[in-house]
Amino acid sequence: GAVVSQHPSWVICKSGTSVKIECRSLDFQATTMFWYRQFPKQSLMLMATSNEGSKATYEQGVEKDKFLINHASLTLSTLTVTSAHPEDSSFYICSARVRWSTSGELFFGEGSRLTVL
Amino acid sequence: QKEVEQDPGPLSVPEGAIVSLNCTYSNSAFQYFMWYRQYSRKGPELLMYTYSSGNKEDGRFTAQVDKSSKYISLFIRDSQPSDSATYLCAMSTTGNQFYFGTGTSLTVIP
């Protein structure tokens, strides 16, 4: 099956530092990847849609200068939380669609838990 | 009105019970329907995928889509403690934008 790998699975950082989270599709090419944020006992909140070779599309209310997304290849998208603050602490999850797929299936990474001290 | 409505539960059942999870939706253009299982502190795992209407069975899991009622269901037979998780429904029209339910928390008691 389609596997999406996310790294790191958890990270603790000091306030003001930047953190990069990687999302890789291991056995398929993904034209489109999605980044979500999830708060405890809540559903997924879409942050942005990342398309290979083009700028990400951010959802309303998500600061693009704060959450930098790069989708440089068909198997890798990165989310960088810049100048992180405690309120950025959350569970970040990526997902990917199989390139040229008409099935509509979406596969998720394992998630990355960010704690900003 | 939300695109997708899902009862958050929590739902608690004894081991071996049949579990029924449901979502309703408002957009009649949805044609891709998915159920995900999410364990605590993990990413969602695709359980069942259905295109358009009908039923799909995979082991102890059965997914049903009723487009006329805008209603989808996931049934879990012979539920096990390992089924304890949050179950999310998801839908899409073209596969480019996805809408998620809030998730139903399920606990299967041994």
Side-chain angles (χ1 to χ4, degrees), chain B residues 20-25 33 64-73 91:
Chain B
S20 174
L21 304 166
N22 311 294
C23 288
T24 58
Y25 61 94
F33 303 92
Q64 287 185 350
V65 175
D66 183 346
K67 293 193 79 177
S68 61
S69 301
K70 298 194 184 72
Y71 188 89
I72 69 169
S73 302
M91 309 178 189

Side-chain angles (χ1 to χ4, degrees), chain A residues 19-107:
Chain A
V19 174
K20 180 185 283 188
I21 300 170
E22 291 188 350
C23 179
R24 291 181 185 274
S25 54
L26 295 187
D27 52 359
F28 66 98
Q29 292 182 329
T31 314
T32 303
M33 289 184 173
F34 303 89
W35 286 95
Y36 300 85
R37 187 172 178 177
Q38 188 176 38
F39 294 100
K41 299 189 185 296
Q42 293 190 28
S43 190
L44 304 165
M45 184 188 81
L46 180 65
M47 298 175 65
T49 302
S50 165
N51 293 295
E52 185 265 338
S54 63
K55 290 185 178 180
T57 303
Y58 290 82
E59 295 299 302
Q60 193 172 11
V62 178
E63 301 175 58
K64 60 182 181 181
D65 295 329
K66 173 76 170 176
F67 300 98
L68 299 179
I69 291 173
N70 186 295
H71 193 158
S73 77
L74 287 170
T75 59
L76 174 65
S77 177
T78 60
L79 167 68
T80 302
V81 183
T82 62
S83 186
H85 289 92
E87 59 267 27
D88 298 323
S89 298
S90 190
F91 192 52
Y92 294 88
I93 312 175
C94 70
S95 68
R97 277 193 59 209
V98 178
R99 187 186 187 197
W100 307 128
S101 169
T102 58
S103 70
E105 289 170 287
L106 191 63
F107 300 94

Side-chain angles (χ1 to χ4, degrees), chain A residues 4-22:
Chain A
V4 177
S5 173
Q6 203 172 325
H7 178 80
S9 55
W10 59 271
V11 58
I12 301 173
C13 70
K14 291 183 179 180
S15 186
T17 60
S18 294
V19 174
K20 180 185 283 188
I21 300 170
E22 291 188 350

Side-chain angles (χ1 to χ4, degrees), chain B residues 7-50:
Chain B
D7 187 338
L11 185 60
S12 184
V13 301
E15 183 175 354
I18 297 175
V19 176
S20 174
L21 304 166
N22 311 294
C23 288
T24 58
Y25 61 94
S26 56
N27 188 347
S28 58
F30 285 143
Q31 54 180 346
Y32 301 115
F33 303 92
M34 287 146 285
W35 284 96
Y36 291 88
R37 176 175 62 195
Q38 186 177 21
Y39 292 113
S40 181
R41 298 172 182 265
K42 296 288 187 182
E45 171 194 1
L46 181 63
L47 267 182
M48 300 288 284
Y49 163 79
T50 309

